[in-house]
């Protein structure tokens, strides 16, 4: 039903007619400060298909978390969406009232954050929190909701869920807590889950467990996932496609395998080769000199040009748009047709 | 709506908060870099541009409070030059002029703009001189309380263990008595111990000690808390690895990083200390009547309130309210400006 | 002393004495409630064994890495070595001088100069109120290494250049630098007293990967140029594989495996090491099936009896539940604390 207005704008081929679950177009997130406006996310466009896991990877300050927050409507003021649109199943959700957005959160978009402790209310048992979320979004009785909560706890791998449901968050270990958070995010069966660094606070062995769990649940329930992380390893294990962000923009986006094995954008190439890998010996790592520009001093043209080994004049003057290069898309003048 | 949803609306998740914190950090760092690039000629411009100055300019209430406070403080400090009369020059007193009403009322004269008291002293002049004493006692006792409290807080927080437990229990015990009671107690002990003449001479010092000792706890607790936080930070550990003496670490590393909240408390405490002094003086245990503070003036005037000479007590009272209120408003602003998250 | 404190065969082989030697080192933390609560509630004293029976030595010029998950005691070992904590048991010797007794460090100020530390969080490890020049010069001034101010300043400039910054940066405050640049400042401070031995506690785990590569390369360059010895604490196995000569794996306060880096990553011995290696995300996307490991690190206040890893170990038997294994030399030259390997019932793993 909500698909029609989006479709009426331009005719689509049969292959495209299944609108993506989430479509973000030219998203711009700004932070007005008294010394001018910081543009933290600048002209970001991507879409997530039904059942797809899209990884959003980038270094700190790349704007990856803010993109996720903008989608779910949890930008902290003074941050605001200054331009662009976010469509969920074809329906615009970036201009909804806070009340309408609240109804979408939980029911249609779930969220998993880095620190499980901040996502769980320490004053309520996990059962109360999950049941409450189910009751808010689904037409069930309290008894049914509780049964469903127990099923979810079992599904995320919590042993003896019928006893554990009445425990408080502090009675769980870090890994178990993150499982509870996943249950909480999925219990109203949303179409889309935004997972913001879901494994960063966890130890490697637990991290592997959580990744496996997230992957299994997403494919079992047909849930789409937007996985925001700084860890390429997590992306490689989990995502179908990946968007590499740099200084608030997407540098490269494409299928995970292609981006990891044959990156096109010089930033992605540098990033991939600077990651130490287990199989390698002790030789020098390839490094990208310098650091990501501050938001107050983003260079003109391509934001990566001061650090780019292959930059030329055009990179310093004109900002590149994403262009298709083989299987992926890269925002780089190296791949543009000559003007 | 659900508990979970409500909570997630109110409390931003960690990662996002930290990203915004880094944005803020970036913005302010950027401004400081710009500021540092300029020459010292622009020092004034730099102060004008500082975040604190900015928030000051944006708050009209604070600007008015600052003007009033400056007028009060200026009047007090420059009393000998500003006051039309010297109320304590016994030779200049005219008993005939006693109980003159304020200038604009019937029988008033502009020689005594706010009227005179029972001994013919000019009320306006006594207020200026009285504010001088009130402010001096207030500031001195705050400095004393601050020094004591900061030292105890630093030691307690940094050393920890038994010393910490002892000092903080001491603080707890002191907090279970009203500050005014402790000040009265100290004043009383001093009176008993010292001969009468000596007491009058050092009455001011005793008063400062009494108010100071009754106020150190707040500083100690705040500094202890901040010290515990700073102590666990890696820069303090780095200094320990380098081999610096604990005292040097406390003074050179920890102290500069815990002063922010102390300044806020001190500003608000000045107002409280002035009131405490006024209260003690009103009760008659403060400064001697020969050099009256605002509190003493109010007490003296209080005797004549119901016989119609209201101005003797009302004007010192108004002066006290103006002084305390303006200092308090400045303190509130400083607290908000230094820590916007605490509002 | 337990059986663990057997002399290191390495020492005999290399003729040269080790730079640093830990023998049966342990550290407990008192995590009981305050005295008043203990008296009123009858709560018992609680001791947390953060580190127990750890023995290893570090040879001059090498990089020894300690890896393990959070709470395994690796950071505590680092802090014991630099003297931020005093050991509860055992001895720590630097060039044969015992540092473990209280006061011994101040008696040997030379040692303090020769041993420095790099911290994890570049935002917390520099005093925000100090200029960079003063931060870097602090070890020089405290140890009175240089006589006059101009030479201190010249040395600070030289150190800044050495870590890839410019002498002008000495006038700035830490907040004017990015995370990676701050870590460079932290390294410059550690180097300012001409140390031979650097304890690096997760020096890159707060940094972005591209910056991490810069810092790791810098640390390697400095090691070559200045002949430094590193003790490298990390939870990131790929980073450890990249930087270290030898690797110690810790679990719940104990060393479970100690081996040459090459050997350890090619054929890990201890079941826990195998599990850790298996958990590292596969960037090559080879599609190899991983065996996700069940369970989590137990509560260190109530560690399992016997081998601490037995509740999670697929090879555990009755002996593992009852008797604690000690570090012993296995066939590959690896030292490993595992009954299954000692009894030969564990197949060697090859990667």
């Amino acid at each position: 039903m909500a698909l029609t207005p989006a479709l009426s704008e331009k005719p689509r081929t049969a292959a495209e007619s299944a609108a993506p679950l989430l479509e973000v177009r030219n998203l711009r997130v700004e932070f007005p400060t008294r010394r001018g406006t910081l543009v933290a996310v600048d002209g970001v466009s991507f879409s997530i298909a039904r059942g797809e896991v899209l990884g959003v990877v980038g270094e700190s300050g790349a704007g990856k978390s803010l993109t996720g927050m903008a989608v779910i409507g949890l930008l902290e003021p003074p941050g605001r969406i200054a331009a662009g649109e976010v469509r969920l199943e074809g329906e615009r959700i970036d201009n909804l009232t806070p009340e309408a957005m609240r109804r979408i959160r939980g029911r249609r978009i779930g969220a998993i954050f880095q620190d499980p402790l901040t996502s769980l209310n320490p004053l309520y048992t996990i059962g109360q929190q999950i049941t409450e979320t189910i009751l808010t979004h689904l037409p069930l009785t309290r008894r049914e909701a509780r049964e469903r909560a127990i099923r979810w706890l079992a599904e995320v791998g919590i042993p003896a869920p019928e006893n554990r449901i009445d425990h408080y968050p502090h009675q769980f270990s870090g890994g178990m807590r993150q499982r509870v958070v996943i249950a909480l995010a999925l219990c109203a069966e949303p179409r889309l889950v935004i997972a913001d660094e879901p494994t960063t606070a966890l130890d490697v062995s637990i991290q592997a467990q959580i990744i496996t769990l997230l992957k299994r649940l997403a494919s079992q329930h047909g849930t789409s996932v937007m996985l925001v992380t700084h860890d390429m390893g997590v992306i490689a294990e989990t995502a179908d496609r990946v968007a590499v962000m740099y200084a608030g923009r997407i540098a490269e986006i494409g299928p995970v395998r292609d981006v990891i094995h044959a990156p096109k954008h010089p930033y992605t190439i540098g990033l991939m080769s600077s990651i130490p890998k287990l199989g390698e010996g002790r030789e020098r790592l390839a490094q990208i000199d310098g650091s990501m520009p501050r938001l107050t001093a983003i260079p003109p043209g391509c934001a990566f040009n001061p650090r780019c080994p292959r930059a030329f004049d055009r990179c310093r003057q004109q900002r590149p748009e994403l262009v298709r290069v083989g299987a992926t898309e890269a925002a780089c003048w190296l791949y543009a047709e000559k003007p | 709506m659900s508990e979970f949803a409500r909570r997630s609306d109110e409390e931003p998740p960690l990662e996002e908060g930290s990203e915004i914190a880094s944005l803020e950090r970036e913005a302010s760092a950027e401004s400081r870099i710009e500021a540092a690039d300029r020459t010292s000629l622009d020092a004034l411009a730099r102060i004008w541009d500082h975040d604190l100055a900015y928030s000051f300019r944006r708050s009209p209430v604070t600007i008015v409070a600052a003007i009033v406070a400056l007028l009060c403080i200026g009047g007090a400090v420059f009393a000998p030059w500003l006051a039309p009369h010297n109320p304590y020059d016994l030779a200049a007193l005219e008993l005939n002029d006693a109980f003159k009403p304020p200038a604009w009322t019937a029988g008033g004269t502009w020689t005594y703009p706010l009227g005179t008291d029972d001994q013919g002293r000019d009320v306006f002049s006594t207020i200026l001189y009285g504010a001088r004493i009130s402010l001096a006692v207030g500031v001195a006792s705050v400095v004393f309380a601050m020094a004591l409290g900061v030292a105890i807080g630093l030691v307690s927080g940094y050393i920890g263990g038994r010393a910490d437990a002892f000092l903080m229990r001491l603080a707890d015990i002191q907090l279970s008595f009203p500050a005014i009671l402790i000040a009265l107690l100290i004043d009383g002990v001093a009176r008993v111990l010292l001969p009468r003449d000596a007491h009058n001479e050092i009455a001011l010092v005793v008063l400062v000690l009494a108010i100071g000792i009754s106020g150190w706890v707040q500083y100690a607790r705040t500094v202890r808390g901040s010290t515990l936080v700073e102590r666990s930070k890696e820069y303090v550990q780095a200094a320990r690895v380098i081999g610096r003496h604990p005292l040097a670490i406390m003074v050179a590393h920890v102290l500069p990083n815990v002063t922010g909240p102390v300044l806020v408390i001190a500003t608000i405490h000045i107002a409280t200390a002035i009131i405490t002094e006024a209260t003690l003086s009103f009760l008659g245990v403060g400064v001697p009547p020969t050099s009256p503070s605002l509190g003493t003036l109010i007490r003296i005037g209080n005797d004549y309130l119901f016989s119609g000479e209201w101005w003797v007590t009302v004007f010192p009272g108004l002066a006290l309210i103006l002084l305390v209120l303006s200092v308090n408003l400045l303190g509130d602003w400083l607290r908000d400006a230094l820590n916007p998250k605490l509002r | 002393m337990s059986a663990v404190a057997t002399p290191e065969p390495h020492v005999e082989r290399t003729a040269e004495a080790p730079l640093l030697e830990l023998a049966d080192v342990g550290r407990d933390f008192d995590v009981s409630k305050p005295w008043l609560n203990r008296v009123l509630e009858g709560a018992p004293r609680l001791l947390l064994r953060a580190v127990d029976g750890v023995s290893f030595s570090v040879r001059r010029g090498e990089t020894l890495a300690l890896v393990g998950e959070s709470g395994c005691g690796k950071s505590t070992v680092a802090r014991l070595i630099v003297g931020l904590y005093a050991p509860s048991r055992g001895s720590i010797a630097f060039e044969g001088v015992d540092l473990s007794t209280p006061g011994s460090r101040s008696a040997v100020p030379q040692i303090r100069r020769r041993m420095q530390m790099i911290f994890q969080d570049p935002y917390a490890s520099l005093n925000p109120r100090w200029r960079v020049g003063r931060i870097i010069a602090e070890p020089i001034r405290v140890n009175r290494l240089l006589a006059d101010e101009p030479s201190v300043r010249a040395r600070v400039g030289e150190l800044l250049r050495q870590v890839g910054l410019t002498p002008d940066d000495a006038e700035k405050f830490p907040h004017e630098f990015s995370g990676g640049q701050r870590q460079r400042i932290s390294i410059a401070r550690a180097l300012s007293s001409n140390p031979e031995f650097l304890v690096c506690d997760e020096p890159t785990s707060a940094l972005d990967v591209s910056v991490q590569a810069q810092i790791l390369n810098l640390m390697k360059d400095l090691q070559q140029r200045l002949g430094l010895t590193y003790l490298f604490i990390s939870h990131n196995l790929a980073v450890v594989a990249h930087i270290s000569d030898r690797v110690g794996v810790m679990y719940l306060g104990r060393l479970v495996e100690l081996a040459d880096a090459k050997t350890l990553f090619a054929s890990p011995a201890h079941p826990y090491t195998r599990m850790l290696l298996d958990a590292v995300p596969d960037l090559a996307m080879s599609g190899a099936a991983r065996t996700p490991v069940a369970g989590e690190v137990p509560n260190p206040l109530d560690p399992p009896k016997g081998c601490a890893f037995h509740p999670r170990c697929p090879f555990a038997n009755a002996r593992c539940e009852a008797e604690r294994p000690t570090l012993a030399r296995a066939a590959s030259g690896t030292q490993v604390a595992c009954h299954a390997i000692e009894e030969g019932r564990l197949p060697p793993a090859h990667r």
Side-chain angles (χ1 to χ4, degrees):
Chain A
M1 42 110 207
L3 292 176
T4 32
L7 289 174
S8 62
E9 284 171 25
K10 58 171 184 179
R12 293 186 181 225
T13 63
E16 280 175 331
S17 67
L21 180 79
L22 180 81
E23 185 154 27
V24 174
R25 231 182 278 162
N26 285 320
L27 180 71
R28 182 182 172 93
V29 174
E30 292 183 347
F31 281 80
T33 71
R34 74 180 171 96
R35 285 170 216 282
T37 302
L38 299 178
V39 183
V41 176
D42 190 1
V44 162
S45 305
F46 61 87
S47 61
I48 302 179
R50 281 157 218 277
E52 182 184 45
V53 179
L54 175 78
V56 178
V57 73
E59 302 182 85
S60 50
K64 54 187 191 309
S65 282
L66 289 171
T67 306
M69 290 300 157
V71 168
I72 202 172
L74 283 178
L75 278 180
E76 268 283 282
R80 57 156 204 257
I81 297 180
E85 50 183 57
V86 180
R87 284 173 190 273
L88 182 67
E89 301 180 296
E91 176 197 353
R92 272 191 79 161
I93 58 167
D94 54 294
N95 50 6
L96 294 181
T97 61
E99 187 48 45
M101 199 61 217
R102 249 199 298 273
R103 275 198 296 271
I104 286 188
R105 267 200 303 274
R107 180 67 191 95
R108 292 169 66 190
I109 309 182
I112 302 167
F113 297 118
Q114 171 173 353
D115 183 357
L117 265 186
T118 54
S119 316
L120 294 172
N121 192 329
L123 298 178
Y124 295 88
T125 66
I126 59 161
Q128 283 168 322
Q129 296 182 55
I130 298 177
T131 319
E132 200 63 35
T133 305
I134 294 174
L135 286 175
T136 310
H137 297 294
L138 301 177
L140 293 175
T141 65
R142 191 158 278 281
R143 175 184 291 274
E144 288 166 338
R146 189 178 158 89
E147 277 164 12
R148 189 179 275 244
I150 294 176
R151 272 214 308 283
W152 269 107
L153 289 177
E155 189 154 5
V156 296
I158 293 192
E162 47 297 326
N163 301 328
R164 297 291 271 165
I165 189 166
D166 293 319
H167 287 187
Y168 288 88
H170 71 263
Q171 293 169 291
F172 290 82
S173 67
M176 284 298 155
R177 234 180 259 145
Q178 195 62 303
R179 288 171 189 268
V180 173
V181 171
I182 291 176
L184 195 54
L186 292 174
C187 64
E189 303 193 329
R191 301 284 164 75
L192 174 69
V193 170
I194 308 230
D196 189 353
E197 305 271 8
T199 60
T200 305
L202 305 173
D203 277 321
V204 267
S205 62
I206 315 299
Q207 196 172 325
Q209 296 170 10
I210 297 293
I211 291 175
T212 315
L213 173 69
L214 201 58
K215 241 165 83 178
R216 195 193 80 216
L217 290 179
S219 69
Q220 267 176 11
H221 295 262
T223 317
S224 304
V225 179
M226 177 175 166
L227 176 67
V228 176
T229 178
H230 69 282
D231 190 338
M232 254 313 181
V234 173
I235 298 273
E237 293 272 328
T238 323
D240 302 311
R241 283 193 309 136
V242 59
V244 181
M245 288 191 71
Y246 185 82
R249 306 163 187 184
I250 292 183
E252 183 164 358
I253 182 167
V256 166
R257 198 164 277 277
D258 299 277
V259 172
I260 286 183
H261 287 309
K264 295 292 185 297
H265 196 287
Y267 172 64
T268 324
I269 297 172
L271 189 69
M272 288 313 303
S273 50
S274 66
I275 302 175
K277 290 156 204 91
L278 266 187
E280 287 176 356
R282 297 195 53 217
E283 67 272 12
R284 258 182 98 80
L285 287 166
Q287 66 179 56
I288 316 174
D289 288 325
S291 52
M292 182 141 38
R294 290 174 191 267
L295 290 180
T296 44
I298 292 181
C302 172
F304 186 60
N305 83 67
R307 301 173 74 189
C308 182
R310 301 177 65 186
F312 52 101
D313 280 349
R314 195 176 184 187
C315 306
R316 294 178 196 105
Q317 289 146 10
Q318 268 178 293
R319 181 178 159 183
E321 296 300 323
L322 285 170
V323 291
R324 180 152 291 283
V325 194
T328 80
E329 289 173 76
C332 177
W333 287 123
L334 287 173
Y335 304 104
E337 283 139 46
K338 296 287 171 282
Chain B
M1 55 163 296
S2 88
E3 284 308 325
F4 166 64
R6 190 186 310 152
R7 201 178 136 73
S8 63
D9 285 341
E10 283 165 3
E11 282 181 34
L14 191 74
E15 170 66 7
E16 195 219 6
S18 68
E19 190 153 315
I20 287 163
S22 78
L23 283 176
E24 281 170 2
R25 200 160 52 207
E26 224 162 67
S28 76
E30 205 66 25
S31 73
R32 270 175 246 172
I33 296 172
E34 285 160 20
D37 285 344
R38 292 188 221 122
T39 60
S40 55
L41 282 174
D42 295 312
L44 264 183
R46 215 181 307 159
I47 292 172
W48 177 254
D49 206 38
H50 191 270
D51 290 348
L52 219 56
Y54 177 78
S55 86
F56 182 77
R57 274 182 280 147
R58 296 251 309 216
S59 164
V61 174
T62 310
I63 295 176
V64 171
I67 292 172
V68 171
L70 271 181
L71 282 178
C72 290
I73 294 168
V77 171
F78 298 109
W81 296 276
L82 290 176
H85 308 273
N86 181 350
Y88 306 115
D89 182 1
L90 291 174
L93 286 185
E94 280 290 344
L95 270 180
N96 291 344
D97 288 339
F99 294 131
K100 288 265 185 229
W104 59 89
T105 55
T109 157
W110 281 105
T111 320
Y112 306 111
L114 297 182
T116 58
D117 66 3
D118 56 332
Q119 296 174 49
R121 293 186 293 203
D122 175 34
V123 170
F124 180 61
S125 303
T126 53
I127 288 175
L128 289 183
Y129 277 87
R132 201 176 152 90
I133 293 185
S134 291
L135 257 181
V137 171
V139 171
S141 53
V142 165
V143 168
F144 176 65
M146 191 162 70
L148 192 67
V150 168
I152 290 177
L154 265 181
V155 169
S156 195
Y158 191 83
I159 309 280
R162 276 158 204 253
D164 178 37
F166 173 74
L167 290 168
M168 285 304 113
R169 291 303 81 76
L170 203 67
D172 288 344
I173 291 168
Q174 166 150 355
L175 273 191
S176 57
F177 296 99
I180 195 86
L181 207 65
I182 292 168
L184 276 173
L185 185 77
I186 294 169
D187 188 80
V189 170
R191 261 167 218 278
V192 172
L193 290 181
L194 295 168
R196 194 171 167 72
D197 299 348
H199 182 263
N200 264 349
E201 271 168 37
I202 61 157
L204 277 184
V205 179
V206 172
L207 200 57
V208 166
L209 286 181
I211 300 174
I213 289 175
S214 70
W216 65 271
V217 172
Q218 216 187 342
Y219 297 95
R221 288 196 154 180
T222 310
V223 169
R224 174 179 175 269
S226 317
T227 303
L228 283 176
V229 173
E230 296 299 319
R231 195 182 103 102
S232 64
K233 287 196 182 162
E234 289 173 347
Y235 73 89
V236 172
Q237 296 182 10
R240 288 173 60 199
V241 172
I242 287 165
R244 294 210 73 173
H245 192 271
L247 209 60
I249 296 178
M250 277 187 246
V251 174
H253 282 287
V254 180
L255 184 59
N257 286 295
V258 300
T259 46
V262 169
L263 285 182
V264 173
I265 299 178
T267 316
I268 295 171
H269 191 200
I270 284 185
T272 323
I274 290 173
I275 297 219
T276 310
E277 183 278 327
T279 313
L280 287 175
S281 296
F282 184 83
L283 294 174
V285 294
V287 292
T290 45
S291 50
S293 68
L294 288 177
T296 327
L297 292 177
I298 297 170
R299 176 176 58 111
I300 297 170
N302 201 32
D303 297 343
Y304 307 105
L305 187 57
F306 296 105
S307 54
E309 288 85 14
W310 51 271
W311 57 87
V312 185
T313 190
V314 165
F315 289 117
L318 276 179
L320 182 69
I321 289 170
L322 276 182
L323 180 61
V324 168
L325 189 63
S326 60
V327 171
N328 251 338
L329 286 172
L330 280 179
D332 284 349
W333 159 75
L334 195 63
R335 184 192 59 207
D336 294 348
L338 286 182
N339 195 350
K341 302 244 160 61
L342 266 185
R343 222 170 304 185
Chain C
M1 289 254 170
S2 84
V4 199
T6 45
E8 288 267 332
H10 290 296
V11 183
E12 292 151 26
R13 263 212 309 266
T14 53
E16 199 185 352
L19 187 62
L20 181 84
E21 188 153 25
L22 274 71
D24 206 21
V25 169
R27 166 74 198 196
D28 302 337
F29 289 106
D30 189 349
V31 291
S32 3
K33 292 184 170 177
W35 174 79
L36 200 61
N37 297 53
R38 284 207 309 274
V39 172
L40 294 180
E41 300 164 13
R45 263 191 177 279
L46 278 179
L47 279 189
L48 173 73
R49 298 215 146 175
V51 171
D52 202 16
V54 167
S55 304
F56 62 83
S57 63
V58 186
R59 283 170 272 167
R60 209 175 284 276
E62 76 167 351
T63 301
L64 174 72
L66 288 183
V67 292
E69 298 178 278
S70 52
C72 73
K74 56 190 192 300
S75 282
T76 308
V77 170
R79 282 165 167 70
L80 284 168
I81 291 172
V82 295
L84 283 173
Y85 299 143
S88 310
R89 294 173 294 282
S91 73
I92 301 172
F94 188 79
E95 282 192 332
V97 183
D98 188 6
L99 301 177
S100 50
T101 51
S104 62
R105 270 166 210 272
S106 43
V108 198
Q110 274 305 306
I111 286 174
R112 212 158 40 203
R113 180 189 70 68
R114 293 168 57 194
M115 190 195 283
Q116 285 294 332
M117 183 158 178
I118 302 170
F119 294 87
Q120 172 176 6
D121 182 358
Y123 288 92
S125 60
L126 307 174
N127 188 337
R129 304 270 168 167
W130 283 27
R131 284 181 201 277
V132 166
R134 189 177 171 201
I135 291 173
I136 296 177
E138 193 180 19
I140 306 177
R141 297 216 172 94
V142 168
N143 291 306
R144 299 199 175 78
L145 298 178
L146 289 170
D148 56 324
E149 238 356 73
S151 44
V152 171
R153 215 162 302 144
R155 172 82 177 122
V156 167
E158 183 195 325
L159 284 161
L160 280 167
R161 216 174 286 130
Q162 210 164 37
V163 297
L165 298 169
T166 63
D168 292 344
D169 289 332
E171 292 307 310
K172 296 183 185 161
F173 284 99
H175 63 72
E176 298 174 36
F177 296 91
S178 67
Q181 288 171 321
R182 283 161 178 252
Q183 204 58 309
R184 287 171 192 270
I185 295 168
S186 194
I187 293 174
R189 169 179 59 193
L191 292 178
S192 71
S193 60
N194 299 316
E196 292 140 59
F197 181 54
L198 285 188
V199 176
C200 317
D201 185 14
E202 305 256 14
T204 64
S205 61
L207 305 175
D208 284 316
V209 273
S210 72
V211 181
Q212 167 173 282
Q214 295 173 9
I215 298 296
L216 289 178
N217 285 340
L218 174 69
M219 289 181 63
K220 278 192 162 181
D221 293 347
L222 291 170
Q223 180 168 40
Q224 267 175 12
R225 208 174 332 147
L226 306 173
L228 297 169
T229 307
Y230 289 144
L231 177 72
F232 194 96
I233 312 288
S234 180
H235 69 277
N236 187 329
L237 285 157
V239 168
V240 163
H242 191 77
I243 195 140
S244 56
D245 300 303
R246 286 194 303 141
V247 181
V249 181
M250 289 188 70
Y251 188 75
L252 270 183
R254 299 181 150 267
L255 208 51
V256 295
E257 182 165 358
L258 182 64
D260 280 344
K262 251 191 214 129
T263 320
L264 186 116
F265 289 105
S267 53
H270 197 281
Y272 177 63
T273 315
R274 299 180 186 194
M275 187 210 88
L276 271 185
L277 281 172
D278 241 12
V280 176
D282 179 17
L283 253 187
M285 301 181 65
S286 55
R290 301 199 301 172
T291 39
V293 190
E296 297 185 25
V297 181
N299 182 358
L301 273 176
D302 184 23
K305 291 233 167 359
C307 171
F309 188 60
H310 86 256
R312 302 171 75 187
C313 183
F315 309 103
N317 64 10
R319 186 180 171 206
C320 300
E321 285 166 35
E323 185 188 331
R324 179 181 290 157
T326 54
L327 212 58
R329 191 158 296 275
S332 54
T334 298
Q335 291 182 66
V336 56
C338 177
H339 295 313
I341 290 174
E342 192 198 308
E343 296 164 10
R345 52 188 169 86
L346 195 59
H350 284 289
R351 291 174 66 87

